[in-house]
Amino acid sequence: MSVPTLLHFEEEQAFADALARAAGLQPMRVARHRFPDGEISLRLPTPLPARVVLLRSLYQPNEKLLELLLAGRAARLHGARHLTLVAPYLAYMRQDAEFHPGEVVSQRIVGRFLADLFDAVLTVDPHLHRVATLGEAVPCSHAIALSAAPALGAWVAGKRPHALLVGPDEESAQWVARAAAGQGLAHAVCRKTRHGDHAVDIELPAGLAVAGKAVVLLDDVASTGQTLARAAGLLLQAGAASVDVAVTHALFAGDALALIRQAGVGEVWSTDCIPHASNAVSLAGTLAEALRQLPAG
Ligand code: R5P
Protein backbone atom coordinates (compact mmCIF):
# COMPACT_ATOMS: atom_id res chain seq x y z
CA MET A 1 0.00 0.00 0.00
CA SER A 2 1.50 3.40 -0.97
CA VAL A 3 2.25 6.02 1.69
CA PRO A 4 -0.52 8.62 1.98
CA THR A 5 0.41 11.96 0.46
CA LEU A 6 0.33 15.30 2.24
CA LEU A 7 -0.46 17.96 -0.34
CA HIS A 8 0.55 21.46 0.69
CA PHE A 9 1.20 24.91 -0.70
CA GLU A 10 4.47 26.80 -0.72
CA GLU A 11 3.64 29.11 2.22
CA GLU A 12 3.05 26.17 4.55
CA GLN A 13 6.24 24.22 3.82
CA ALA A 14 7.55 24.28 7.41
CA PHE A 15 4.27 23.13 8.99
CA ALA A 16 3.85 20.51 6.22
CA ASP A 17 7.30 19.05 6.88
CA ALA A 18 6.63 18.81 10.63
CA LEU A 19 3.18 17.29 10.09
CA ALA A 20 4.43 14.82 7.48
CA ARG A 21 7.29 13.67 9.73
CA ALA A 22 5.01 13.21 12.72
CA ALA A 23 2.19 11.50 10.80
CA GLY A 24 4.29 9.37 8.41
CA LEU A 25 3.03 11.12 5.26
CA GLN A 26 4.81 11.89 2.00
CA PRO A 27 4.84 15.70 1.62
CA MET A 28 4.23 16.97 -1.92
CA ARG A 29 3.75 20.55 -2.99
CA VAL A 30 0.91 21.88 -5.12
CA ALA A 31 2.40 24.24 -7.72
CA ARG A 32 0.51 27.48 -8.30
CA HIS A 33 0.68 29.97 -11.12
CA ARG A 34 -1.04 33.31 -11.00
CA PHE A 35 -2.15 34.73 -14.33
CA PRO A 36 -1.78 38.47 -14.96
CA ASP A 37 -5.55 38.92 -14.54
CA GLY A 38 -5.55 37.33 -11.08
CA GLU A 39 -6.82 33.86 -11.93
CA ILE A 40 -4.84 30.95 -10.53
CA SER A 41 -3.77 27.68 -12.05
CA LEU A 42 -2.79 24.73 -9.84
CA ARG A 43 -0.77 21.66 -10.67
CA LEU A 44 -0.91 18.56 -8.47
CA PRO A 45 1.91 16.04 -8.17
CA THR A 46 0.51 12.93 -9.87
CA PRO A 47 -0.33 10.11 -9.65
CA LEU A 48 -1.85 10.33 -6.19
CA PRO A 49 -2.35 7.47 -3.75
CA ALA A 50 -5.81 6.47 -2.52
CA ARG A 51 -5.38 8.45 0.72
CA VAL A 52 -4.56 12.11 0.42
CA VAL A 53 -4.34 14.76 3.11
CA LEU A 54 -4.49 18.41 2.08
CA LEU A 55 -3.02 21.02 4.41
CA ARG A 56 -4.44 24.54 4.17
CA SER A 57 -4.78 26.84 7.14
CA LEU A 58 -7.64 29.13 6.22
CA TYR A 59 -6.46 32.57 7.38
CA GLN A 60 -7.00 35.17 4.60
CA PRO A 61 -9.46 32.55 3.39
CA ASN A 62 -11.22 33.81 0.29
CA GLU A 63 -8.78 32.68 -2.36
CA LYS A 64 -7.82 29.59 -0.35
CA LEU A 65 -11.40 28.33 -0.49
CA LEU A 66 -11.19 28.43 -4.27
CA GLU A 67 -7.85 26.59 -4.12
CA LEU A 68 -9.54 23.89 -2.03
CA LEU A 69 -12.28 23.52 -4.62
CA LEU A 70 -9.78 23.19 -7.47
CA ALA A 71 -7.29 20.96 -5.65
CA GLY A 72 -9.90 18.79 -3.94
CA ARG A 73 -11.87 18.03 -7.12
CA ALA A 74 -8.68 17.42 -9.12
CA ALA A 75 -7.23 15.13 -6.43
CA ARG A 76 -10.27 12.85 -6.81
CA LEU A 77 -9.77 12.78 -10.59
CA HIS A 78 -6.13 11.77 -10.04
CA GLY A 79 -6.90 8.78 -7.83
CA ALA A 80 -7.59 10.06 -4.30
CA ARG A 81 -10.42 8.04 -2.82
CA HIS A 82 -10.19 9.33 0.76
CA LEU A 83 -9.51 13.01 1.09
CA THR A 84 -8.79 14.75 4.39
CA LEU A 85 -8.49 18.48 4.95
CA VAL A 86 -6.19 19.63 7.75
CA ALA A 87 -7.09 23.26 8.32
CA PRO A 88 -5.32 24.31 11.55
CA TYR A 89 -7.37 27.53 11.35
CA LEU A 90 -10.90 27.17 10.00
CA ALA A 91 -12.36 30.42 8.68
CA TYR A 92 -15.96 31.60 8.48
CA MET A 93 -17.02 29.89 11.70
CA ARG A 94 -18.01 33.08 13.55
CA GLN A 95 -21.14 33.98 11.53
CA ASP A 96 -23.25 31.14 12.89
CA ALA A 97 -26.68 32.77 12.95
CA GLU A 98 -28.83 35.24 11.02
CA PHE A 99 -28.68 38.19 13.40
CA HIS A 100 -30.40 40.51 10.90
CA PRO A 101 -32.88 39.46 8.19
CA GLY A 102 -31.07 38.32 5.06
CA GLU A 103 -27.68 37.95 6.70
CA VAL A 104 -25.82 34.99 5.20
CA VAL A 105 -24.93 32.31 7.76
CA SER A 106 -21.47 31.69 6.37
CA GLN A 107 -20.60 28.97 8.89
CA ARG A 108 -23.31 26.72 7.46
CA ILE A 109 -22.50 27.45 3.82
CA VAL A 110 -18.71 27.19 4.07
CA GLY A 111 -19.13 24.11 6.27
CA ARG A 112 -21.30 22.39 3.67
CA PHE A 113 -18.86 23.41 0.90
CA LEU A 114 -15.99 21.69 2.79
CA ALA A 115 -18.10 18.64 3.63
CA ASP A 116 -18.89 18.17 -0.08
CA LEU A 117 -15.17 18.19 -0.92
CA PHE A 118 -13.62 16.20 1.93
CA ASP A 119 -14.28 12.95 3.76
CA ALA A 120 -12.62 14.27 6.91
CA VAL A 121 -11.87 17.76 8.21
CA LEU A 122 -9.50 18.37 11.11
CA THR A 123 -9.04 21.73 12.77
CA VAL A 124 -8.02 23.39 16.03
CA ASP A 125 -10.26 25.45 18.31
CA PRO A 126 -12.89 26.38 15.71
CA HIS A 127 -15.14 29.19 16.82
CA LEU A 128 -18.28 27.20 17.62
CA HIS A 129 -20.56 29.32 19.69
CA ARG A 130 -24.15 28.37 18.97
CA VAL A 131 -23.46 24.86 17.65
CA ALA A 132 -22.21 22.09 19.90
CA THR A 133 -19.97 20.12 17.55
CA LEU A 134 -17.88 20.73 14.46
CA GLY A 135 -19.96 18.06 12.69
CA GLU A 136 -23.00 20.35 12.84
CA ALA A 137 -21.08 23.08 11.04
CA VAL A 138 -19.09 20.80 8.69
CA PRO A 139 -21.29 17.75 8.08
CA CYS A 140 -18.72 15.29 6.67
CA SER A 141 -17.95 11.73 7.87
CA HIS A 142 -15.21 12.83 10.27
CA ALA A 143 -15.25 16.42 11.51
CA ILE A 144 -12.66 16.67 14.24
CA ALA A 145 -12.04 19.71 16.41
CA LEU A 146 -8.84 19.55 18.42
CA SER A 147 -7.86 22.03 21.08
CA ALA A 148 -4.66 23.96 21.65
CA ALA A 149 -5.70 24.67 25.25
CA PRO A 150 -3.64 21.86 26.86
CA ALA A 151 -0.50 22.84 24.92
CA LEU A 152 -0.99 26.56 25.58
CA GLY A 153 -1.63 25.83 29.27
CA ALA A 154 1.63 23.86 29.49
CA TRP A 155 3.53 26.67 27.72
CA VAL A 156 2.10 29.32 30.05
CA ALA A 157 2.83 27.23 33.16
CA GLY A 158 6.45 26.89 31.99
CA LYS A 159 6.79 30.67 31.60
CA ARG A 160 4.54 31.90 34.43
CA PRO A 161 4.26 29.05 36.96
CA HIS A 162 1.75 30.89 39.19
CA ALA A 163 -0.24 32.59 36.47
CA LEU A 164 -3.89 33.49 36.80
CA LEU A 165 -5.44 32.52 33.46
CA VAL A 166 -8.18 34.88 32.33
CA GLY A 167 -10.57 34.43 29.41
CA PRO A 168 -11.71 37.77 27.94
CA ASP A 169 -15.26 36.62 27.19
CA GLU A 170 -17.78 33.89 27.96
CA GLU A 171 -16.87 31.91 24.84
CA SER A 172 -13.29 31.54 26.02
CA ALA A 173 -14.43 29.74 29.21
CA GLN A 174 -14.05 26.30 27.56
CA TRP A 175 -10.41 26.90 26.57
CA VAL A 176 -9.37 28.70 29.75
CA ALA A 177 -10.87 26.01 31.98
CA ARG A 178 -9.10 23.27 30.04
CA ALA A 179 -5.73 25.02 29.95
CA ALA A 180 -5.91 25.82 33.66
CA ALA A 181 -7.07 22.37 34.75
CA GLY A 182 -4.17 20.65 32.98
CA GLN A 183 -1.65 22.72 34.96
CA GLY A 184 -3.51 23.33 38.23
CA LEU A 185 -3.68 27.09 37.52
CA ALA A 186 -6.36 29.46 38.81
CA HIS A 187 -8.69 30.90 36.19
CA ALA A 188 -11.51 33.35 35.62
CA VAL A 189 -13.63 34.58 32.73
CA CYS A 190 -14.75 38.14 31.84
CA ARG A 191 -17.93 39.29 30.10
CA LYS A 192 -17.77 40.99 26.75
CA THR A 193 -20.20 43.09 24.78
CA ARG A 194 -19.27 43.72 21.17
CA HIS A 195 -20.62 46.92 19.62
CA GLY A 196 -18.79 46.62 16.28
CA ASP A 197 -15.66 45.30 14.60
CA HIS A 198 -13.44 47.69 16.57
CA ALA A 199 -15.54 48.35 19.65
CA VAL A 200 -15.89 46.03 22.63
CA ASP A 201 -16.68 46.49 26.29
CA ILE A 202 -15.29 44.08 28.85
CA GLU A 203 -16.26 43.56 32.47
CA LEU A 204 -13.88 41.80 34.83
CA PRO A 205 -15.51 39.14 37.03
CA ALA A 206 -16.92 40.77 40.18
CA GLY A 207 -14.50 40.52 43.10
CA LEU A 208 -11.65 39.08 41.04
CA ALA A 209 -8.40 39.66 42.97
CA VAL A 210 -5.65 40.42 40.48
CA ALA A 211 -3.40 42.76 42.50
CA GLY A 212 0.22 41.65 42.22
CA LYS A 213 -0.62 38.66 40.03
CA ALA A 214 0.94 37.53 36.79
CA VAL A 215 -2.13 37.33 34.56
CA VAL A 216 -2.22 35.55 31.22
CA LEU A 217 -5.15 36.27 28.90
CA LEU A 218 -6.06 33.20 26.87
CA ASP A 219 -8.37 33.17 23.85
CA ASP A 220 -8.97 31.26 20.62
CA VAL A 221 -8.49 34.16 18.20
CA ALA A 222 -6.93 37.60 18.21
CA SER A 223 -8.21 39.53 15.21
CA THR A 224 -8.39 43.32 15.67
CA GLY A 225 -6.83 42.88 19.11
CA GLN A 226 -9.60 45.00 20.70
CA THR A 227 -10.77 42.20 22.99
CA LEU A 228 -7.32 41.50 24.41
CA ALA A 229 -6.30 45.15 24.59
CA ARG A 230 -9.44 46.15 26.49
CA ALA A 231 -9.15 43.23 28.91
CA ALA A 232 -5.43 43.84 29.47
CA GLY A 233 -6.04 47.52 30.24
CA LEU A 234 -8.65 46.68 32.87
CA LEU A 235 -6.48 44.00 34.47
CA LEU A 236 -3.50 46.36 34.75
CA GLN A 237 -5.74 49.10 36.18
CA ALA A 238 -6.91 46.57 38.76
CA GLY A 239 -3.29 46.04 39.85
CA ALA A 240 -2.09 42.98 37.91
CA ALA A 241 1.71 42.73 38.10
CA SER A 242 1.88 41.72 34.44
CA VAL A 243 -0.44 40.74 31.60
CA ASP A 244 0.73 38.38 28.87
CA VAL A 245 -1.34 36.85 26.08
CA ALA A 246 -1.69 33.29 24.76
CA VAL A 247 -3.88 32.63 21.71
CA THR A 248 -4.47 29.70 19.42
CA HIS A 249 -4.96 31.71 16.23
CA ALA A 250 -2.73 34.72 15.61
CA LEU A 251 -4.79 36.57 13.00
CA PHE A 252 -3.61 39.99 14.27
CA ALA A 253 -5.30 42.07 11.59
CA GLY A 254 -3.86 45.53 10.82
CA ASP A 255 -2.32 47.22 13.85
CA ALA A 256 -3.71 44.66 16.33
CA LEU A 257 -0.35 43.77 17.80
CA ALA A 258 0.60 47.42 18.37
CA LEU A 259 -2.78 48.01 20.06
CA ILE A 260 -2.21 45.08 22.40
CA ARG A 261 1.29 46.28 23.24
CA GLN A 262 0.02 49.83 23.88
CA ALA A 263 -2.45 48.39 26.36
CA GLY A 264 0.51 47.16 28.41
CA VAL A 265 0.72 43.50 27.37
CA GLY A 266 4.16 41.94 27.83
CA GLU A 267 4.60 38.65 25.98
CA VAL A 268 2.35 37.46 23.15
CA TRP A 269 2.42 33.71 22.53
CA SER A 270 0.50 31.83 19.85
CA THR A 271 0.37 28.43 18.21
CA ASP A 272 1.63 27.81 14.69
CA CYS A 273 -1.92 27.20 13.36
CA ILE A 274 -1.39 30.58 11.64
CA PRO A 275 2.22 31.50 10.87
CA HIS A 276 3.19 34.62 12.89
CA ALA A 277 6.21 36.03 14.70
CA SER A 278 4.50 35.22 18.03
CA ASN A 279 4.32 31.45 17.30
CA ALA A 280 5.64 29.59 20.35
CA VAL A 281 3.66 26.34 20.49
CA SER A 282 3.48 23.80 17.65
CA LEU A 283 0.28 21.89 16.97
CA ALA A 284 1.77 19.67 14.25
CA GLY A 285 2.16 16.73 16.67
CA THR A 286 -1.42 17.05 17.93
CA LEU A 287 -2.80 17.10 14.37
CA ALA A 288 -0.55 14.18 13.35
CA GLU A 289 -1.87 12.08 16.23
CA ALA A 290 -5.46 12.81 15.18
CA LEU A 291 -4.64 11.87 11.57
CA ARG A 292 -3.20 8.56 12.74
CA GLN A 293 -6.45 7.82 14.55
CA LEU A 294 -8.68 8.38 11.52
CA PRO A 295 -10.20 5.10 10.39
CA ALA A 296 -8.57 3.71 7.22
CA GLY A 297 -10.84 3.67 4.19
C1 R5P B 1 -14.77 35.97 19.77
O1 R5P B 1 -15.57 35.89 20.65
C2 R5P B 1 -13.40 35.38 19.85
O2 R5P B 1 -13.28 34.44 20.86
C3 R5P B 1 -12.36 36.46 20.03
O3 R5P B 1 -12.46 37.00 21.34
C4 R5P B 1 -12.54 37.55 19.03
O4 R5P B 1 -12.69 37.02 17.74
C5 R5P B 1 -11.40 38.49 19.08
O5 R5P B 1 -11.64 39.49 18.16
P1 R5P B 1 -10.89 40.86 18.23
O6 R5P B 1 -9.41 40.58 18.36
O7 R5P B 1 -11.24 41.51 16.93
O8 R5P B 1 -11.42 41.62 19.39
Side-chain angles (χ1 to χ4, degrees), residues 94 127 169 171 175 192 194 197 200 219-227:
R94 281 174 283 185
H127 194 89
D169 53 28
E171 290 141 26
W175 301 297
K192 177 169 85 181
R194 184 174 282 282
D197 288 345
V200 297
D219 206 359
D220 59 336
V221 184
S223 179
T224 65
Q226 292 287 344
T227 299

Side-chain angles (χ1 to χ4, degrees), residues 99-145:
F99 299 104
H100 304 100
E103 221 166 51
V104 174
V105 183
S106 44
Q107 182 192 76
R108 207 173 300 143
I109 291 170
V110 172
R112 167 52 69 189
F113 169 78
L114 296 176
D116 287 345
L117 285 172
F118 297 97
D119 303 293
V121 172
L122 274 63
T123 190
V124 181
D125 292 337
H127 194 89
L128 303 177
H129 185 195
R130 277 158 282 260
V131 301
T133 64
L134 183 62
E136 288 172 55
V138 185
C140 61
S141 306
H142 304 281
I144 298 173

Side-chain angles (χ1 to χ4, degrees), residues 204 217 227-239 243 260 262-265:
L204 296 185
L217 280 165
T227 299
L228 292 171
R230 190 90 187 101
L234 291 173
L235 287 160
L236 288 165
Q237 265 171 33
V243 177
I260 290 167
Q262 277 159 21
V265 166

Side-chain angles (χ1 to χ4, degrees), residues 11 53 63-64 74 90 94 108 113 139 146 154 161 183 198 211 216 239 247 283:
E11 314 85 276
V53 177
E63 187 170 284
K64 289 180 187 153
L90 189 54
R94 281 174 283 185
R108 207 173 300 143
F113 169 78
L146 304 164
Q183 305 299 324
H198 294 270
V216 177
V247 291
L283 265 288

